[in-house]
Each structure stands twice: as structure tokens, then as C-alpha cells.
Amino acid sequence: MAGHKRSRQTRPGVFVVIGSPQDACALAVRAALEARRRPTIFLTNPLASPGRFAWRLDDEQCASELRWEGGPPARDGQIAGAFVRRGLWIDPAGWQPDDLAYLQAETQAALLAWLWSLRCPVVNRFPSAVWYQP
């Protein structure tokens, strides 16, 4: 139609940015989203404190909930998109090297599965080298 402007539909919800507070790229993505007045959660590790993560898996459904520092919960359908900049950071203090390696591998596997379960766009999912190793 002549003169008809195409309206761009935006998905309501919160955007999740996973990265380091020292990572210029992750901070730039966060700043760009916030400049557009998009609610954004910035986390170094969504599976660790201060956030709270709950995930339910069974034969018929998958449901998760993410909470952070007193904010309202974000459930699967409320996450509009996710941007993953790097692997998860776990404080090594107090861990034996073998235990830390196991914890890191299990945490990355859980995050990878959760990211694939989201029904929103996810930018920069983990590469296969993270989860496909001998």
C-alpha cells in the first residue's frame, strides 16, 4: 500500500546480557539496549549468586525463572533476547582444581542447555568446543 508505514513489532520483555563487567563489547550491548529503554539484566553467571535460577525439565515441558538482585522474576516467555559474550566465571577460591573443573563443565553444560531452551533470539551461543570434547 502506498504511504503505509510498516510498523516494527518489538517483543516485550527483558534482555539478558551474560558477560564480564570489564568486557567492552558486553557493556556496549547493554548500553545500546538501555539507550532504547529496553529492560536489561547484566550477569556474569546467571547460575550463581546474586541471581537465582530455577529450571524445570520433564518429558513434556521446560520452564525456567531467573531472578536478580531484588528484581522481578523473568520467566521463559518474558525474556525477549539474550546475548552471551563469554563462558561463566566461577570464583576459584576454596575449590580444589579437579572439583573446580568439574563445576565449570557442569555449569557450562547447564547454561548451554538453558540457552537452547529459550524461545527468544540468543546471540553468540557457546561454540561447540565448549561442550563437544573428548
Side-chain angles (χ1 to χ4, degrees):
M1 284 196 241
H4 177 69
K5 267 190 161 177
R6 209 171 142 193
S7 66
R8 198 160 75 166
Q9 300 220 349
T10 57
R11 185 180 177 146
V14 65
F15 287 84
V16 177
V17 177
I18 301 170
S20 166
Q22 292 80 32
D23 185 325
C25 181
L27 294 173
V29 169
R30 175 188 185 179
L33 288 166
E34 290 176 347
R36 289 169 178 79
R37 295 189 177 105
R38 303 295 283 170
T40 306
I41 306 169
F42 189 93
L43 301 165
T44 56
N45 185 341
L47 307 180
S49 185
R52 300 188 119 214
F53 178 77
W55 191 19
R56 179 183 168 94
L57 298 166
D58 63 35
D59 293 356
E60 297 181 21
Q61 68 177 348
C62 171
S64 66
E65 179 178 284
L66 181 62
R67 291 180 181 258
W68 66 100
E69 299 178 340
R75 293 178 180 86
D76 294 337
Q78 297 169 325
I79 298 174
F83 177 78
V84 183
R85 180 63 178 159
R86 65 173 185 95
L88 305 177
W89 186 79
I90 298 172
D91 185 358
W95 290 96
Q96 295 296 320
D98 288 345
D99 294 337
L100 180 61
Y102 175 78
L103 179 64
Q104 287 175 327
E106 289 297 312
T107 302
Q108 287 182 341
L111 181 63
L112 175 72
W114 177 64
L115 290 171
W116 278 99
S117 77
L118 292 175
R119 294 173 294 226
C120 64
V122 177
V123 176
N124 206 27
R125 296 177 198 263
F126 286 150
S128 61
V130 169
W131 52 270
Y132 185 70
Q133 298 179 25

